[in-house]
Amino acid sequence: MTSPAFDPLAALRRDGDPECDVFVWGTVFLDIIMTGLEALPDGGQEVWATGMGSCPGGIANLAVAARRLGLRTSLAAAFGDDAYGDFCWETLADEERVDLSRSRRFEGWHSPVTVSMAVARDRGMVSHGHAPPLDPTALIGDPPRSRAVMAELAPDRPLTGGTDETWVEKARAAGALVFADVGWDPSGRWPKEVLDQLTVCDAFLPNAVEAMAYTRTRTPNEALYVLADLVPLAVVTNGEEGALAIDSTTGEEAVVPALRVDALDPTGAGDVFGAAVVLGTVAGWPLPQRIGFAALCSALAVQHFGGSLAAPGWGDIADWWHHLRDGESTDSYHRSLRRRYSFLDDLVPDVPIGAERRATATIARHVDVEGYRPVATTTPGEPS
């Protein structure tokens, strides 16, 4: 049964609007998440996990996070024709309702896989995969009209500067806002030329380490001011210290502290943060509300295990706000939260009862429910 949907952009929608709110491209992994580990295994050692989840990962983390926040999301990605590809495609298209009309299945190309092992607020990961059969230009062609696209800055795949228009340049020319992040540089060189790609971006959302490395600065605040000269909306996330941002188009600045939570798994939290910033920007919220909302959504995500599994829906957000607003805590921290998030009072009354919440995806054919007995799928005499 499909959960009731909440559309935070309902008041803005008009005839002739773009086909989708957010368009993204990237690689989808099958994520297998082991939880409840006391320690990572040493060489030759076998350890047992008390829990396991599985879900589409990689760029799917971002697509699912945006979709659960009510954004009409389209994803362009390569999918294998194996069972893992079946699972990822069906989960995204049928359960998460992500548009896959720009995605393709490829015969003989096996799905990339990541095994994530969560241990004491940290995790180790092992991944395997091959490059997609088509590059983004060949896979996407002309991107769909959208309110926003989300892209990654990369030295080997620039967003601008080639002889032909990239899919990002095409999307921006058609009216989309371009939100960009950047990945970790394992070489340690952090080439400043990567930031030249910000000329075709409207927003940039690196973490503090990345921001300082690329700008050659010593503090997140110094890095923010450098980036604010390069892109209209600059946001620097700083883990347990929160986030800081400058929107040059509105003249606003914001410093938002992180919420106090028991963080279990940070996988995908940055994607949740980015999706929330996109929603707030497209909806026209003031900058402090945008960054505060993003900090809340990522805080809700890190309290649960596993990438796209942990991305909150509006049901989760409404539950959190009602619990805070109607709670009995009167200390300064909770009073500050109530003031900071009072704008949710204008949103959550419209969230329907039973609205979308986090999912529990698994590659098993049946859900583990108390009292359930699986039905045999073989005939007598056949091997099971």
Side-chain angles (χ1 to χ4, degrees), residues 204-212 215 219-228 233-239 241-246 254-256 273 291:
F204 185 40
L205 296 83
N207 65 38
V209 174
E210 296 159 349
M212 290 186 291
T215 59
T219 69
N221 201 60
E222 290 176 0
L224 177 70
Y225 283 116
V226 173
L227 296 175
L233 174 60
V235 182
V236 175
T237 59
N238 196 18
E241 298 300 316
L244 48 161
I246 294 176
V255 178
V256 175
F273 187 98
I291 306 305

Side-chain angles (χ1 to χ4, degrees), residues 286-375:
L287 185 63
Q289 291 183 9
R290 281 181 268 167
I291 306 305
F293 182 72
L296 167 61
C297 291
S298 60
L300 293 175
V302 301
Q303 296 177 76
H304 294 259
F305 288 109
S308 62
L309 286 176
W314 275 100
D316 301 302
I317 296 165
D319 290 345
W320 178 86
W321 171 242
H322 290 147
H323 179 75
L324 172 69
R325 185 194 62 188
D326 303 333
E328 298 180 356
S329 299
T330 58
D331 57 275
S332 296
Y333 172 70
H334 287 89
R335 291 201 306 272
S336 175
L337 285 181
R338 291 188 186 102
R339 289 192 298 268
R340 197 183 319 157
Y341 291 99
S342 60
F343 69 92
L344 290 176
D345 250 345
D346 296 327
L347 291 170
V348 297
D350 296 325
V351 175
I353 300 297
E356 190 168 29
R357 288 172 169 79
R358 296 180 187 88
T360 303
T362 173
I363 55 176
R365 289 189 177 276
H366 301 289
V367 178
D368 252 345
V369 258
E370 186 177 355
Y372 174 79
R373 294 293 181 269
V375 178

